[in-house]
Amino acid sequence: GMSSAEKQKEETPTTVSIDEISADLQATQAEMNEQLNAATTVQDAEALRRQYLGKKGPLNAVMAQMRLLSNQDKPKLGQIVNQIKDQMETNIGDKLQTLQLQAIQEQMKQDAVDVTQPGLRRHNDIGRRHPISMTMEKALDVFTQLGYDTVTSVQESPEIESD
């Protein structure tokens, strides 16, 4: 086992090695990636970004350990932290893009009318507004706003002859 002197040294490290910090950061990154893989919404991913890359996150905490490093290790810390940070940001960015796409596709699925639904039989189509008639209505709205009188029905419009 360890001698008591070694134990004491373990508990109160006066210096930290760059390797220890590096290992810690990699563990933190692995942990974040696991949570990121499990994220199902854009909000989840955003929360992880704040948790890991925010001001109170582990990366900033590590920078505070700078003073515990030997002078030769100090410059290495910044490099390691930046490298991990970049990788994390890239991973989160990729995941966000994927989740945003999924959200859009999900929305499109919900917006699309399911023509395979048994309730909508062919002759019920009369009740559904045709996209072209909807476009016409929009165009008529615009004309009306511009001050044109629109022809609403044949009966009200003497100019239109109907046999």
Side-chain angles (χ1 to χ4, degrees):
M2 281 193 268
S3 69
S4 56
E6 277 178 314
K7 258 217 181 68
Q8 198 126 28
K9 216 173 82 186
E10 271 284 340
E11 287 165 42
T12 56
T14 42
T15 59
V16 180
S17 78
I18 195 78
D19 294 337
E20 283 173 80
I21 289 183
S22 184
D24 276 354
L25 282 173
Q26 279 163 357
T28 299
Q29 186 183 10
E31 182 186 297
M32 188 208 75
N33 285 341
E34 248 173 72
Q35 294 184 1
L36 196 58
N37 287 336
T40 53
T41 66
V42 170
Q43 287 82 356
D44 288 347
E46 289 286 7
L48 286 172
R49 171 183 273 164
R50 281 195 300 274
Q51 183 187 334
Y52 283 94
L53 300 171
K55 285 196 165 56
K56 297 194 175 80
L59 293 184
N60 274 3
V62 164
M63 288 306 283
Q65 295 186 314
M66 179 83 82
R67 57 193 174 77
L68 300 175
L69 288 169
S70 66
N71 286 339
Q72 60 185 34
D73 279 348
K74 278 180 183 161
K76 293 180 199 160
L77 180 65
Q79 289 174 341
I80 291 172
V81 169
N82 284 335
Q83 194 184 343
I84 299 268
K85 199 178 197 168
D86 286 349
Q87 287 169 2
M88 282 181 163
E89 276 172 354
T90 302
N91 288 354
I92 293 174
D94 289 350
K95 184 70 174 188
L96 273 171
Q97 240 177 347
T98 305
L99 289 170
Q100 278 160 347
L101 271 175
Q102 279 174 6
I104 291 167
Q105 286 169 337
E106 206 46 52
Q107 194 56 52
M108 281 165 67
K109 243 187 259 167
Q110 283 169 15
D111 291 348
V113 178
D114 187 357
V115 284
T116 59
Q117 279 176 1
L120 303 171
R121 286 187 301 284
R122 272 280 161 250
H123 58 261
N124 287 0
D125 282 358
I126 303 154
R128 265 201 260 149
R129 302 264 285 279
H130 197 278
I132 288 177
S133 65
M134 286 168 76
T135 307
M136 287 292 291
E137 279 170 38
K138 281 201 188 99
L140 287 175
D141 283 345
V142 172
F143 285 129
T144 312
Q145 281 161 18
L146 292 174
Y148 291 99
D149 281 331
T150 54
V151 175
T152 43
S153 76
V154 177
Q155 282 76 28
E156 289 170 36
S157 313
E159 304 92 20
I160 293 179
E161 294 170 23
S162 57
D163 301 315

